[in-house]
Amino acid sequence: MFANASEKILFVGNSYLYYNDSVHNHVENLLREHYENESIDTKLTAIGGSKLQHHNIDQILNYRNFNLNKPVDKIIFQGGSSEVITAKSRENFAATAKNYSEKAQAMGIETYLYMTHAYRDSDARYEENLIEKIKLTYYKAGEISNSTVIPVGIAFEIAYEKNPNIKLHLRDGTHPNMLGTYLASSTIFATLTGASPEGLEYDYMVRVNDKAFLQKVAWLAYLQNEKNLKSE
């Protein structure tokens, strides 16, 4: 949770984060509106198609590389979408998340894990109920790394369940479209603040009805995530 309204947040991931003018920019705008504070600052380091292990954690933790004068307050780590598929890849992701998070935490940085969304059937890697592997991966990694899980994948599942006609993916079945990015950003907002994004005005050209629906789903995902964590 936010200790103050002037924090700096670093996002680490791949194209899931930087599509559609980048999740970190939308999260920054949602937070600035909520806290009425323009000093909230977000940064992004991303490698297209990367797994978490492809990022150099020592370079990432060197705050001078981001033109900062002190470490960031929070880091959000996003793994590669395929890291959830096999037992071996899940084990590797968890070990990397633990290693990277411990290094960040030693510097006083709070760590978060961005739970990825499942593929649609236009992606060759699609499999039914992939969300169960995704949840298994991120909850285990969150537990052993002492990191907070951000339930973006759960939010996508809830949205499709409540409105099967909504489109959150691009035609490739893996990358988010603008609605998917807005939903992800709203879910991050809910997790960081413990507050519902419902009623926030920031929309980045998302239609009013879609915005209201996605904000509501983000909050439902946050609540479901809290319930899941308590039952672990």
Side-chain angles (χ1 to χ4, degrees), residues 44 67 110 114 120 129 149 152 175 214 224:
L44 169 69
N67 198 29
E110 293 179 34
Y114 176 113
R120 300 299 278 176
N129 298 318
V149 175
V152 173
H175 292 99
L214 296 172
Q224 182 61 56

Side-chain angles (χ1 to χ4, degrees), residues 11 17 21-30 42 185 202:
F11 290 71
L17 295 184
D21 200 21
S22 195
V23 164
H24 80 287
N25 288 324
H26 304 304
V27 172
E28 180 177 286
N29 283 312
L30 290 167
T42 62
S185 303
Y202 177 74

Side-chain angles (χ1 to χ4, degrees), residues 13-20 22-24 44 46-50 78-82 114-120 123 125 130 134 138 152 156 169 172-177 180-181 184-185 188:
N14 58 34
S15 54
Y16 278 18
L17 295 184
Y18 66 66
Y19 267 47
N20 308 305
S22 195
V23 164
H24 80 287
L44 169 69
I47 305 171
S50 67
Q78 176 241 319
S81 60
S82 65
Y114 176 113
M115 180 194 289
T116 53
H117 55 261
Y119 307 120
R120 300 299 278 176
D123 188 292
R125 298 166 293 182
L130 183 61
I134 293 171
Y138 278 85
V152 173
F156 272 61
H169 291 73
D172 63 10
T174 179
H175 292 99
N177 63 14
T181 292
S185 303
I188 295 168

Side-chain angles (χ1 to χ4, degrees), residues 28-97:
E28 180 177 286
N29 283 312
L30 290 167
L31 290 171
R32 285 182 173 186
E33 179 183 342
H34 176 72
Y35 286 108
E36 299 181 346
N37 189 320
E38 293 295 314
S39 63
I40 294 170
D41 187 28
T42 62
K43 304 286 186 182
L44 169 69
T45 179
I47 305 171
S50 67
K51 298 178 180 180
L52 185 57
Q53 68 192 43
H54 294 148
H55 295 272
N56 185 317
I57 187 61
D58 296 317
Q59 289 184 0
I60 287 169
L61 293 177
N62 183 349
Y63 55 86
R64 293 181 181 86
N65 289 334
F66 298 94
N67 198 29
L68 299 173
N69 57 16
K70 64 177 183 177
V72 296
D73 300 285
K74 294 173 169 56
I75 292 183
I76 297 173
F77 294 116
Q78 176 241 319
S81 60
S82 65
E83 294 193 78
V84 307
I85 293 176
T86 68
K88 182 63 175 177
S89 62
R90 291 193 291 270
E91 181 183 338
N92 288 342
F93 172 75
T96 303

Side-chain angles (χ1 to χ4, degrees), residues 97-117:
K98 183 177 186 293
N99 178 27
Y100 287 13
S101 296
E102 287 178 347
K103 287 188 174 185
Q105 291 159 7
M107 298 174 64
I109 301 170
E110 293 179 34
T111 56
Y112 295 76
L113 301 180
Y114 176 113
M115 180 194 289
T116 53
H117 55 261

